[in-house]
Amino acid sequence: MGSLPLDASLRPLDPEAFSGESRAVVDFLAEYYRGVDKYPVRAADLEPGLLRKLLPGAAPEHGEPLEDVLEDVRRDILPGLTHWQSPNFFAYFPMNASAAGFAGEMLSVGLNVVPFVWAASPAAAELEAVVVDWMGKLLGLPQRLLFSGGGGGVLQGSTCEAVVCTLAAARDRAMAKLGHEAITKLVVYASDQTHATFQKGARLVGIPAVQLPRHPDVGVLRVRTDRRRRSRRRLIVTSPAALCPCTSVPRWAQRGFGAARPRCAAEEARRHGMWLHRGHLPEFQGYLDGAELADSVSMNPHKWFLTNTDCCCLWVASPRALTSALSTDPEYLKNVGTNGTGKPAAIDYKDWQISMSRRFRAIKLWVVLRRYGADGLRAHVRRHVAAAKWFEQTVAADERFEVVVPRRFSLVCFRLRPRSVGDEAAVNNVNRKLLAALNESGRAFMTHFVVDGKFMIRLAVGGSMTDMQHVMDVWELLQDQADHVLRRF
Amino acid sequence: MGSLPLDASLRPLDPEAFSGESRAVVDFLAEYYRGVDKYPVRAADLEPGLLRKLLPGAAPEHGEPLEDVLEDVRRDILPGLTHWQSPNFFAYFPMNASAAGFAGEMLSVGLNVVPFVWAASPAAAELEAVVVDWMGKLLGLPQRLLFSGGGGGVLQGSTCEAVVCTLAAARDRAMAKLGHEAITKLVVYASDQTHATFQKGARLVGIPAVQLPRHPDVGVLRVRTDRRRRSRRRLIVTSPAALCPCTSVPRWAQRGFGAARPRCAAEEARRHGMWLHRGHLPEFQGYLDGAELADSVSMNPHKWFLTNTDCCCLWVASPRALTSALSTDPEYLKNVGTNGTGKPAAIDYKDWQISMSRRFRAIKLWVVLRRYGADGLRAHVRRHVAAAKWFEQTVAADERFEVVVPRRFSLVCFRLRPRSVGDEAAVNNVNRKLLAALNESGRAFMTHFVVDGKFMIRLAVGGSMTDMQHVMDVWELLQDQADHVLRRF
């Protein structure tokens, strides 16, 4: 292994060399998983630019053995990573790795087919259509969003891609009525707490000002009714697509602390002829309320559903609305199976996404669904929700702390609120110190959020290796750090 | 292996189960590579919807063993794939898999970190900055496009993503001067033969009409000089980023048949204050002519550079122009290391791309560059160019055939041109029949291109397993099929 001759006879897919080297990487990763909880969760103080000093200034002229490369990963790279697969990672959002997700991705990467048009790998496109329907059924989506009900779905790389595609479709639907000049009069209507993706997506598709009204009264729909504006602008209602399912009205869509209340917004959006996009959380049927009115729904199996990065499901009620914004038909791609020229039911997935080329993501999600089954995925999600519920109750029972926003799923937003500390600025300062101390310990990693000037700490439970014991341990750690911070205060 | 208990004690990253299952997939793929040339290269006649009939209508309730899943891949999926890694795949464009690309991707997928902001995995962001500079040096890019020279690079998933990002940056640069209302007056200037990506990208970023003038005179720059239009519109020059390096002027950028002549266009673009994007081919320094004038350059290691899908390098002369179009700064992402709030040299790569989340692609490209070295990659590319050159000469020497466009790299555009067949329509018909017969044989897969009404067959040499013998074999096959087609004509 590792000493493949690197000359004109280079055989980059020699099966024997492939097997030996791939097994070495499997062993490397298994060893990593065995010891991942020994690393500081967040990378210790790495200086920006440090790796540049450690590594040569240019690629090597001659090839090197894989052993050397793996040794360098161990020595130079691993200590500088933040370990998202650590059971003590509670930051940002979970990104689940799993044996099945890895196996599925290996199949995708190894086969390395590019199902951009149907003929370019028919079974890959077919499997994608099957598996997005499977996933939609598992979530209890309305039939109209599934292929079997006249809609359909696609696997993309991220929520952002899905948002850009749906905003482009929504924009083009509006411009088809209002003319292209209307592009300067469109607006994406979303909460100030809504996923930053929507602000970015709106700018990318050329919609100028994202209106983010700040209304403190949660639950009141604020569609602009000012007559002059309404006549100038067509509203597009959007919502974040992430772990928290929500719509876009001010403060209902609160990615920061996981609130959700979608129905009124959905009905209002319909009444105004807006495009409604919904984010979605698996298994929580109550939060699907209003989904039967949505034009599109997206959900990331790569977050909490044991599907290694990346995999984002996007479903649309009208595939034509999506593909009319995204299709391309250059001559050199015309082949049997292409929509319109060949068999009519063949799907050219390049017309359902930003890129022309694409990976065979369907096989990954399919392996995950086969391998763990619906009940395995439910059990996975439930144990995190149970652990978060325990944490919320425990925090609430400790008079030094408070839960700032009621938990809905597995995200708990809390803060230290000692009676001895008076004003909000001082409370924020204590919590900043607490979070810094916690993260510097290396024994856990959490991130924060600020709403209405309140600095709160987020505990996002969802790691593939995270179970109740890790959450109990982090509570111990938090108490110790809180004692320490308060003593110095 | 395969019988992991699927209950509340689900351990999706159990190292033993992970090892066993991953090794089974490695064995599966090694077996696939051993026999990949036995499959029909293009999927045999699969009916759209066939797989849906073969597979259950919903995900299983209970998990299933991996062996069963792999057996289903073998039986239901493989026969329906078009085998991009077959040595007899000459269609579309090459998408190289390799042992090193696979190993690198396994590391990325197994570590499953998400380096969207610097603090979220510092070493991953650092490695990306290092490896894009390595790659840029390997290509001989001007210093101004490298981090070491004040520019910088990012790894994205595809040319299309890179194009959307650069068009958004170019658009925002123009609108910063002209106001947002100018969005309806901008135009992307590109050849009618240019990569379809630019048409799609322009629509995505809200630029209405992509001007694609058809000029038959190759080599003459046609910037709109019509005074009324010039005063209304700001031109953005773009070019395809793919295997053929070219600029965007009519017919110089001819993805279909690989022509290239960039310098005059680059100078003209500069003179008019346009944004110039260049696609790039490794190792052909002559075709870098004009790159020192470019605002951005992109190139896909995932095509010809032994890096499994996906990996697209994008370099920009002004990172600020890119990030000012793409940055987001919501509160919950603010952490040490974030630009502007922490260490100044830290890179938040979410601001260099469409998506917020991202994969650790840098480790894949780094493993490829380490493992094969600069000379290994050169040897890989050269053997394909040599084979294509042999094919071109052989075709040219056969009086029944003609080479339609002079070959530059490893793409040969040719057609059957028998003296006995008179008009162009009949010649096209003969060539359509020839290509259909060839592809139906299952022994090779090519695609076609049409320019000025001429139907030509494309032989794109570039597969990881493709060597001279395969090209010689396909020439034999072509001659046999040509005899057959001409006899029936």
Side-chain angles (χ1 to χ4, degrees):
Chain A
M1 193 205 84
S3 42
L4 188 71
L6 292 162
D7 54 14
S9 68
L10 177 74
R11 298 180 61 207
L13 279 179
D14 176 79
E16 271 49 63
F18 169 84
S19 281
E21 302 198 3
S22 298
R23 281 165 177 262
V25 178
V26 168
D27 293 346
F28 180 95
L29 287 169
E31 182 197 322
Y32 174 74
Y33 294 143
R34 272 185 209 104
V36 67
D37 56 351
K38 305 297 183 297
Y39 290 96
V41 185
R42 190 190 66 183
D45 276 339
L46 186 70
E47 278 294 305
L50 181 64
L51 208 55
R52 188 173 289 270
K53 288 177 205 152
L54 292 176
L55 301 181
E61 182 59 23
H62 306 296
E64 298 170 78
L66 183 66
E67 294 93 327
D68 294 3
V69 180
L70 290 179
E71 188 45 43
D72 291 352
V73 174
R74 201 174 276 119
R75 193 188 57 224
D76 297 333
I77 310 293
L78 292 187
L81 295 182
T82 293
H83 300 276
W84 287 64
Q85 300 315 310
S86 166
N88 302 312
F89 181 96
F90 300 102
Y92 309 119
F93 39 82
M95 289 298 265
N96 285 178
S98 74
F102 187 80
E105 185 68 61
M106 286 170 89
L107 288 169
S108 168
V109 172
L111 296 170
N112 210 38
V113 299
V114 188
F116 70 124
V117 288
W118 189 84
S121 250
E126 297 283 315
L127 188 64
E128 187 157 335
V130 167
V131 85
V132 291
D133 266 14
W134 280 19
M135 196 73 207
K137 286 177 189 171
L138 195 62
L139 300 179
L141 290 188
Q143 269 292 323
R144 54 192 282 280
L145 292 165
L146 309 182
F147 280 108
S148 51
V154 57
L155 298 179
Q156 302 194 347
S158 69
T159 302
C160 305
E161 289 175 41
V163 162
V164 167
C165 292
T166 50
L167 286 178
R171 178 198 65 190
D172 288 2
R173 191 173 80 176
M175 293 197 307
K177 292 180 196 159
L178 305 172
H180 182 269
E181 302 287 323
I183 191 171
T184 60
K185 300 187 176 63
L186 295 171
V187 66
V188 175
Y189 199 37
S191 161
D192 60 323
Q193 299 300 338
T194 296
H195 204 298
T197 298
F198 278 91
Q199 302 171 45
K200 183 166 181 171
R203 285 174 62 200
L204 271 167
V205 302
I207 301 180
V210 181
Q211 299 293 321
L212 299 171
R214 298 184 69 98
H215 292 296
D217 44 332
V218 175
V220 178
L221 181 68
R222 300 272 178 171
V223 172
R224 282 191 175 283
T225 49
D226 158 18
R227 189 166 300 176
R228 191 181 59 81
R229 280 197 174 269
R230 194 170 46 182
S231 65
R232 274 183 50 222
R233 302 200 157 183
R234 187 160 198 91
L235 305 184
I236 301 168
V237 165
T238 63
S239 81
L243 274 182
C244 55
C246 30
T247 49
S248 61
V249 286
R251 301 292 298 278
W252 298 10
Q254 291 159 339
R255 177 179 172 73
F257 48 93
R261 191 168 159 197
R263 168 161 289 280
C264 310
E267 289 170 352
E268 201 68 12
R270 266 279 161 265
R271 199 152 46 237
H272 289 78
M274 305 174 201
W275 183 289
L276 179 71
H277 179 79
R278 288 285 311 272
H280 188 52
L281 177 75
E283 111 136 3
F284 292 88
Q285 284 292 326
Y287 297 95
L288 266 174
D289 196 30
E292 73 278 10
L293 299 173
D295 292 292
S296 51
V297 169
S298 63
M299 179 268 187
N300 285 323
H302 71 203
K303 285 209 172 84
W304 206 2
F305 251 33
L306 295 170
T307 308
N308 297 46
T309 323
D310 51 9
C311 186
C312 172
C313 297
L314 169 66
W315 295 270
V316 289
S318 166
R320 181 184 289 271
L322 192 67
T323 58
S324 66
L326 301 172
S327 77
T328 57
D329 281 301
E331 181 64 30
Y332 70 98
L333 298 180
K334 283 182 189 158
N335 276 293
V336 174
T338 295
N339 289 342
T341 65
K343 294 155 190 166
I347 300 171
D348 289 343
Y349 266 121
K350 72 175 174 59
D351 297 338
W352 291 62
Q353 61 175 24
I354 293 172
S355 295
M356 301 280 276
S357 65
R358 63 202 316 271
R359 289 153 60 229
F360 185 8
R361 292 191 187 96
I363 201 166
K364 174 169 58 178
L365 184 54
W366 184 65
V367 173
V368 168
L369 292 173
R370 292 282 305 272
R371 189 71 195 78
Y372 299 132
D375 62 355
L377 293 172
R378 275 188 220 110
H380 174 68
V381 167
R382 280 180 186 147
R383 82 194 154 101
H384 292 142
V385 174
K389 190 174 177 182
W390 175 87
F391 183 86
E392 180 193 35
Q393 289 169 344
T394 307
V395 165
D398 187 314
E399 60 180 14
R400 295 170 301 172
F401 288 88
E402 70 174 1
V403 175
V404 187
V405 185
R407 178 198 55 81
R408 293 199 183 246
F409 309 117
S410 71
L411 174 66
V412 184
C413 295
F414 67 98
R415 61 176 186 166
L416 196 54
R417 186 71 187 87
R419 294 185 185 177
S420 58
V421 182
D423 65 300
E424 281 289 331
V427 173
N428 283 353
N429 201 17
V430 165
N431 280 283
R432 275 181 215 279
K433 281 194 162 66
L434 173 61
L435 180 61
L438 185 91
N439 289 341
E440 276 156 24
S441 77
R443 291 165 56 201
F445 181 29
M446 298 182 199
T447 44
H448 72 277
F449 195 64
V450 176
V451 175
D452 294 337
K454 273 188 198 174
F455 181 98
M456 56 188 92
I457 301 174
R458 299 163 81 253
L459 179 92
V461 184
S464 296
M465 296 191 198
T466 304
D467 60 28
M468 182 65 93
Q469 189 57 53
H470 298 102
V471 176
M472 292 168 80
D473 290 348
V474 87
W475 172 239
E476 287 292 320
L477 178 63
L478 260 171
Q479 286 176 295
D480 291 351
Q481 300 284 2
D483 287 345
H484 198 69
V485 166
L486 289 175
R487 263 201 304 276
R488 287 187 307 174
F489 202 77
Chain B
M1 192 206 84
S3 42
L4 187 71
L6 292 162
D7 54 17
S9 68
L10 177 73
R11 297 182 62 206
L13 278 179
D14 176 79
E16 272 49 65
F18 169 84
S19 281
E21 301 197 4
S22 298
R23 281 166 177 264
V25 178
V26 168
D27 293 346
F28 181 93
L29 287 169
E31 182 196 321
Y32 174 73
Y33 293 143
R34 273 185 209 102
V36 67
D37 58 349
K38 305 297 183 297
Y39 290 97
V41 185
R42 190 189 66 182
D45 276 340
L46 186 71
E47 279 293 306
L50 181 64
L51 208 55
R52 188 173 289 269
K53 288 177 205 151
L54 291 176
L55 301 180
E61 182 59 23
H62 306 295
E64 299 170 77
L66 183 67
E67 293 93 325
D68 293 5
V69 180
L70 290 178
E71 187 47 42
D72 291 352
V73 174
R74 201 174 275 118
R75 193 188 56 225
D76 297 334
I77 310 292
L78 292 186
L81 295 183
T82 293
H83 300 277
W84 287 64
Q85 300 314 311
S86 166
N88 302 312
F89 180 95
F90 300 103
Y92 310 121
F93 39 82
M95 290 297 266
N96 284 179
S98 74
F102 187 81
E105 185 69 59
M106 286 169 90
L107 288 170
S108 169
V109 172
L111 296 172
N112 210 40
V113 300
V114 188
F116 70 124
V117 288
W118 188 86
S121 251
E126 296 284 314
L127 187 64
E128 186 157 336
V130 167
V131 84
V132 291
D133 266 14
W134 281 19
M135 196 73 206
K137 285 177 189 173
L138 196 61
L139 300 178
L141 290 189
Q143 269 293 325
R144 55 192 282 279
L145 292 166
L146 309 182
F147 280 107
S148 51
V154 56
L155 299 179
Q156 302 193 345
S158 69
T159 301
C160 305
E161 289 175 38
V163 162
V164 167
C165 292
T166 50
L167 287 177
R171 179 198 64 191
D172 288 2
R173 191 174 77 174
M175 292 197 309
K177 292 180 196 161
L178 305 172
H180 182 268
E181 303 285 324
I183 192 170
T184 59
K185 299 186 176 63
L186 295 172
V187 66
V188 175
Y189 200 35
S191 161
D192 60 323
Q193 299 299 338
T194 297
H195 204 297
T197 297
F198 279 90
Q199 302 170 47
K200 184 167 181 169
R203 285 175 60 199
L204 271 166
V205 302
I207 301 180
V210 181
Q211 299 295 320
L212 299 171
R214 298 184 69 97
H215 292 295
D217 44 334
V218 175
V220 178
L221 181 68
R222 300 272 178 170
V223 172
R224 281 190 176 284
T225 49
D226 159 17
R227 188 167 299 177
R228 190 181 60 81
R229 278 193 175 269
R230 195 171 45 183
S231 65
R232 274 184 52 221
R233 302 198 158 187
R234 187 160 197 89
L235 306 184
I236 300 168
V237 164
T238 63
S239 80
L243 275 182
C244 54
C246 29
T247 48
S248 61
V249 286
R251 300 295 296 278
W252 297 11
Q254 291 158 340
R255 179 179 170 73
F257 48 92
R261 192 171 158 194
R263 169 160 288 281
C264 310
E267 289 170 352
E268 200 67 13
R270 266 280 160 264
R271 199 151 46 238
H272 289 78
M274 306 173 200
W275 183 290
L276 179 70
H277 179 79
R278 290 281 313 272
H280 188 53
L281 177 74
E283 111 135 0
F284 292 89
Q285 285 290 327
Y287 297 97
L288 267 174
D289 197 29
E292 73 278 10
L293 299 173
D295 292 292
S296 53
V297 170
S298 63
M299 180 268 186
N300 285 323
H302 70 204
K303 285 209 173 84
W304 206 1
F305 251 32
L306 295 170
T307 308
N308 297 46
T309 321
D310 52 10
C311 186
C312 173
C313 297
L314 170 66
W315 295 271
V316 290
S318 166
R320 181 184 288 270
L322 193 68
T323 58
S324 65
L326 301 172
S327 77
T328 56
D329 280 302
E331 182 63 32
Y332 69 97
L333 298 181
K334 281 181 191 158
N335 277 292
V336 174
T338 295
N339 289 341
T341 65
K343 294 152 191 167
I347 299 171
D348 289 343
Y349 267 122
K350 72 175 175 57
D351 297 337
W352 291 62
Q353 61 174 25
I354 294 172
S355 295
M356 302 279 275
S357 65
R358 62 202 316 271
R359 288 153 61 229
F360 185 8
R361 290 191 188 97
I363 201 166
K364 174 169 58 177
L365 183 55
W366 183 66
V367 173
V368 168
L369 291 174
R370 292 282 306 271
R371 190 71 195 81
Y372 299 131
D375 62 355
L377 293 171
R378 276 188 219 109
H380 173 68
V381 167
R382 280 181 186 146
R383 81 194 155 101
H384 292 142
V385 174
K389 189 173 177 183
W390 175 87
F391 184 86
E392 180 192 35
Q393 289 168 344
T394 307
V395 165
D398 187 313
E399 61 179 12
R400 295 170 301 173
F401 287 87
E402 68 175 3
V403 175
V404 186
V405 185
R407 177 197 57 80
R408 292 199 184 244
F409 309 116
S410 71
L411 174 66
V412 184
C413 296
F414 65 98
R415 61 176 187 166
L416 196 54
R417 186 71 186 88
R419 294 183 185 182
S420 58
V421 182
D423 66 301
E424 281 288 332
V427 173
N428 283 353
N429 202 18
V430 164
N431 280 283
R432 275 181 215 279
K433 281 194 161 69
L434 173 60
L435 180 61
L438 185 91
N439 289 341
E440 277 157 23
S441 78
R443 291 166 57 200
F445 180 30
M446 296 181 200
T447 45
H448 73 277
F449 196 64
V450 176
V451 174
D452 294 336
K454 274 188 196 173
F455 182 98
M456 57 189 92
I457 301 174
R458 298 163 82 255
L459 180 91
V461 183
S464 296
M465 296 192 199
T466 304
D467 61 28
M468 181 65 92
Q469 190 57 52
H470 299 101
V471 175
M472 293 169 79
D473 290 349
V474 86
W475 172 239
E476 287 291 320
L477 177 64
L478 261 171
Q479 287 176 295
D480 291 351
Q481 300 283 2
D483 287 345
H484 197 69
V485 166
L486 289 175
R487 263 202 305 278
R488 287 187 308 176
F489 201 77

